[in-house]
PDB file of all heavy atoms in Angstrom:
ATOM      1  N   THR A 866       1.655  40.622  22.994  1.00 96.00           N
ATOM      2  CA  THR A 866       0.765  39.621  22.401  1.00 96.00           C
ATOM      3  C   THR A 866       1.497  38.531  21.668  1.00 96.00           C
ATOM      4  O   THR A 866       2.678  38.637  21.383  1.00 96.00           O
ATOM      5  CB  THR A 866      -0.275  40.246  21.429  1.00 96.00           C
ATOM      6  OG1 THR A 866       0.284  40.337  20.120  1.00 96.00           O
ATOM      7  CG2 THR A 866      -0.799  41.548  21.919  1.00 96.00           C
ATOM      8  N   GLU A 867       0.790  37.433  21.434  1.00 98.00           N
ATOM      9  CA  GLU A 867       1.381  36.318  20.718  1.00 98.00           C
ATOM     10  C   GLU A 867       1.642  36.569  19.228  1.00 98.00           C
ATOM     11  O   GLU A 867       2.329  35.738  18.581  1.00 98.00           O
ATOM     12  CB  GLU A 867       0.489  35.087  20.892  1.00 98.00           C
ATOM     13  CG  GLU A 867      -0.791  35.064  20.076  1.00 98.00           C
ATOM     14  CD  GLU A 867      -1.902  35.864  20.781  1.00 98.00           C
ATOM     15  OE1 GLU A 867      -1.680  36.626  21.724  1.00 98.00           O
ATOM     16  OE2 GLU A 867      -3.099  35.849  20.236  1.00 98.00           O
ATOM     17  N   SER A 868       1.084  37.627  18.700  1.00 97.00           N
ATOM     18  CA  SER A 868       1.142  37.853  17.254  1.00 97.00           C
ATOM     19  C   SER A 868       2.493  38.372  16.769  1.00 97.00           C
ATOM     20  O   SER A 868       2.839  38.333  15.548  1.00 97.00           O
ATOM     21  CB  SER A 868       0.099  38.876  16.830  1.00 97.00           C
ATOM     22  OG  SER A 868      -1.188  38.359  17.182  1.00 97.00           O
ATOM     23  N   GLU A 869       3.326  38.865  17.748  1.00 98.00           N
ATOM     24  CA  GLU A 869       4.552  39.510  17.321  1.00 98.00           C
ATOM     25  C   GLU A 869       5.719  38.497  17.331  1.00 98.00           C
ATOM     26  O   GLU A 869       5.924  37.695  18.296  1.00 98.00           O
ATOM     27  CB  GLU A 869       4.921  40.623  18.330  1.00 98.00           C
ATOM     28  CG  GLU A 869       3.886  41.698  18.398  1.00 98.00           C
ATOM     29  CD  GLU A 869       3.665  42.440  17.042  1.00 98.00           C
ATOM     30  OE1 GLU A 869       4.575  42.306  16.128  1.00 98.00           O
ATOM     31  OE2 GLU A 869       2.669  43.099  16.801  1.00 98.00           O
ATOM     32  N   ALA A 870       6.473  38.380  16.220  1.00 98.00           N
ATOM     33  CA  ALA A 870       7.609  37.571  16.030  1.00 98.00           C
ATOM     34  C   ALA A 870       8.783  38.061  16.937  1.00 98.00           C
ATOM     35  O   ALA A 870       8.859  39.208  17.355  1.00 98.00           O
ATOM     36  CB  ALA A 870       8.021  37.545  14.567  1.00 98.00           C
ATOM     37  N   LYS A 871       9.738  37.202  17.158  1.00 98.00           N
ATOM     38  CA  LYS A 871      10.924  37.515  18.002  1.00 98.00           C
ATOM     39  C   LYS A 871      11.668  38.673  17.386  1.00 98.00           C
ATOM     40  O   LYS A 871      12.192  39.558  18.094  1.00 98.00           O
ATOM     41  CB  LYS A 871      11.831  36.326  18.128  1.00 98.00           C
ATOM     42  CG  LYS A 871      13.063  36.553  18.978  1.00 98.00           C
ATOM     43  CD  LYS A 871      13.862  35.256  19.168  1.00 98.00           C
ATOM     44  CE  LYS A 871      15.122  35.562  20.020  1.00 98.00           C
ATOM     45  NZ  LYS A 871      16.130  36.387  19.308  1.00 98.00           N
ATOM     46  N   GLU A 872      11.746  38.805  16.083  1.00 97.00           N
ATOM     47  CA  GLU A 872      12.462  39.866  15.485  1.00 97.00           C
ATOM     48  C   GLU A 872      11.843  41.225  15.894  1.00 97.00           C
ATOM     49  O   GLU A 872      12.627  42.229  16.146  1.00 97.00           O
ATOM     50  CB  GLU A 872      12.442  39.697  13.894  1.00 97.00           C
ATOM     51  CG  GLU A 872      13.217  40.830  13.196  1.00 97.00           C
ATOM     52  CD  GLU A 872      13.217  40.677  11.727  1.00 97.00           C
ATOM     53  OE1 GLU A 872      12.493  39.774  11.221  1.00 97.00           O
ATOM     54  OE2 GLU A 872      13.886  41.415  11.033  1.00 97.00           O
ATOM     55  N   GLU A 873      10.527  41.335  15.868  1.00 98.00           N
ATOM     56  CA  GLU A 873       9.905  42.590  16.282  1.00 98.00           C
ATOM     57  C   GLU A 873      10.065  42.841  17.713  1.00 98.00           C
ATOM     58  O   GLU A 873      10.251  44.001  18.145  1.00 98.00           O
ATOM     59  CB  GLU A 873       8.456  42.558  15.890  1.00 98.00           C
ATOM     60  CG  GLU A 873       7.641  43.861  16.084  1.00 98.00           C
ATOM     61  CD  GLU A 873       8.050  44.932  15.172  1.00 98.00           C
ATOM     62  OE1 GLU A 873       8.948  44.776  14.287  1.00 98.00           O
ATOM     63  OE2 GLU A 873       7.387  46.014  15.158  1.00 98.00           O
ATOM     64  N   LEU A 874       9.998  41.752  18.531  1.00 98.00           N
ATOM     65  CA  LEU A 874      10.244  41.939  19.999  1.00 98.00           C
ATOM     66  C   LEU A 874      11.675  42.456  20.201  1.00 98.00           C
ATOM     67  O   LEU A 874      11.890  43.398  21.072  1.00 98.00           O
ATOM     68  CB  LEU A 874      10.066  40.633  20.741  1.00 98.00           C
ATOM     69  CG  LEU A 874       8.767  39.904  20.621  1.00 98.00           C
ATOM     70  CD1 LEU A 874       8.789  38.596  21.450  1.00 98.00           C
ATOM     71  CD2 LEU A 874       7.573  40.833  21.061  1.00 98.00           C
ATOM     72  N   ASP A 875      12.609  41.930  19.520  1.00 98.00           N
ATOM     73  CA  ASP A 875      14.017  42.411  19.676  1.00 98.00           C
ATOM     74  C   ASP A 875      14.163  43.814  19.136  1.00 98.00           C
ATOM     75  O   ASP A 875      14.915  44.599  19.759  1.00 98.00           O
ATOM     76  CB  ASP A 875      14.935  41.437  18.912  1.00 98.00           C
ATOM     77  CG  ASP A 875      15.168  40.142  19.595  1.00 98.00           C
ATOM     78  OD1 ASP A 875      15.099  40.066  20.853  1.00 98.00           O
ATOM     79  OD2 ASP A 875      15.429  39.145  18.910  1.00 98.00           O
ATOM     80  N   ARG A 876      13.454  44.225  18.061  1.00 97.00           N
ATOM     81  CA  ARG A 876      13.595  45.563  17.530  1.00 97.00           C
ATOM     82  C   ARG A 876      13.021  46.540  18.622  1.00 97.00           C
ATOM     83  O   ARG A 876      13.665  47.586  18.864  1.00 97.00           O
ATOM     84  CB  ARG A 876      12.704  45.672  16.296  1.00 97.00           C
ATOM     85  CG  ARG A 876      12.982  46.935  15.489  1.00 97.00           C
ATOM     86  CD  ARG A 876      12.324  46.902  14.147  1.00 97.00           C
ATOM     87  NE  ARG A 876      10.901  47.124  14.213  1.00 97.00           N
ATOM     88  CZ  ARG A 876      10.241  48.269  14.205  1.00 97.00           C
ATOM     89  NH1 ARG A 876      11.010  49.405  14.131  1.00 97.00           N
ATOM     90  NH2 ARG A 876       8.951  48.387  14.236  1.00 97.00           N
ATOM     91  N   PHE A 877      11.962  46.144  19.307  1.00 98.00           N
ATOM     92  CA  PHE A 877      11.443  47.009  20.374  1.00 98.00           C
ATOM     93  C   PHE A 877      12.466  47.053  21.567  1.00 98.00           C
ATOM     94  O   PHE A 877      12.712  48.153  22.108  1.00 98.00           O
ATOM     95  CB  PHE A 877      10.086  46.467  20.889  1.00 98.00           C
ATOM     96  CG  PHE A 877       9.582  47.254  22.028  1.00 98.00           C
ATOM     97  CD1 PHE A 877       9.004  48.435  21.906  1.00 98.00           C
ATOM     98  CD2 PHE A 877       9.598  46.617  23.320  1.00 98.00           C
ATOM     99  CE1 PHE A 877       8.501  49.188  23.022  1.00 98.00           C
ATOM    100  CE2 PHE A 877       9.134  47.330  24.462  1.00 98.00           C
ATOM    101  CZ  PHE A 877       8.523  48.639  24.272  1.00 98.00           C
ATOM    102  N   CYS A 878      12.957  45.844  21.969  1.00 98.00           N
ATOM    103  CA  CYS A 878      13.901  45.856  23.077  1.00 98.00           C
ATOM    104  C   CYS A 878      15.151  46.647  22.738  1.00 98.00           C
ATOM    105  O   CYS A 878      15.663  47.406  23.630  1.00 98.00           O
ATOM    106  CB  CYS A 878      14.245  44.415  23.393  1.00 98.00           C
ATOM    107  SG  CYS A 878      12.900  43.490  24.131  1.00 98.00           S
ATOM    108  N   ASP A 879      15.600  46.498  21.522  1.00 97.00           N
ATOM    109  CA  ASP A 879      16.847  47.283  21.138  1.00 97.00           C
ATOM    110  C   ASP A 879      16.507  48.798  21.236  1.00 97.00           C
ATOM    111  O   ASP A 879      17.436  49.574  21.608  1.00 97.00           O
ATOM    112  CB  ASP A 879      17.238  46.974  19.671  1.00 97.00           C
ATOM    113  CG  ASP A 879      17.742  45.534  19.574  1.00 97.00           C
ATOM    114  OD1 ASP A 879      18.119  44.960  20.661  1.00 97.00           O
ATOM    115  OD2 ASP A 879      17.858  45.013  18.447  1.00 97.00           O
ATOM    116  N   ALA A 880      15.334  49.272  20.816  1.00 98.00           N
ATOM    117  CA  ALA A 880      14.980  50.603  20.945  1.00 98.00           C
ATOM    118  C   ALA A 880      14.979  51.096  22.354  1.00 98.00           C
ATOM    119  O   ALA A 880      15.527  52.176  22.718  1.00 98.00           O
ATOM    120  CB  ALA A 880      13.564  50.860  20.292  1.00 98.00           C
ATOM    121  N   MET A 881      14.380  50.314  23.262  1.00 98.00           N
ATOM    122  CA  MET A 881      14.346  50.622  24.645  1.00 98.00           C
ATOM    123  C   MET A 881      15.745  50.687  25.320  1.00 98.00           C
ATOM    124  O   MET A 881      16.013  51.543  26.071  1.00 98.00           O
ATOM    125  CB  MET A 881      13.401  49.622  25.451  1.00 98.00           C
ATOM    126  CG  MET A 881      11.941  49.783  25.111  1.00 98.00           C
ATOM    127  SD  MET A 881      11.217  51.405  25.679  1.00 98.00           S
ATOM    128  CE  MET A 881      11.461  51.277  27.452  1.00 98.00           C
ATOM    129  N   ILE A 882      16.541  49.780  24.919  1.00 98.00           N
ATOM    130  CA  ILE A 882      17.887  49.736  25.440  1.00 98.00           C
ATOM    131  C   ILE A 882      18.677  50.996  24.934  1.00 98.00           C
ATOM    132  O   ILE A 882      19.468  51.633  25.677  1.00 98.00           O
ATOM    133  CB  ILE A 882      18.633  48.465  25.065  1.00 98.00           C
ATOM    134  CG1 ILE A 882      17.960  47.232  25.742  1.00 98.00           C
ATOM    135  CG2 ILE A 882      20.143  48.498  25.339  1.00 98.00           C
ATOM    136  CD1 ILE A 882      18.389  45.904  25.233  1.00 98.00           C
TER     137      ILE A 882
END
Side-chain angles (χ1 to χ4, degrees):
T866 85
E867 73 276 8
S868 302
E869 300 299 342
K871 181 175 178 293
E872 181 179 8
E873 186 71 355
L874 303 181
D875 285 332
R876 193 171 76 87
F877 175 76
C878 290
D879 291 344
M881 289 296 295
I882 292 168

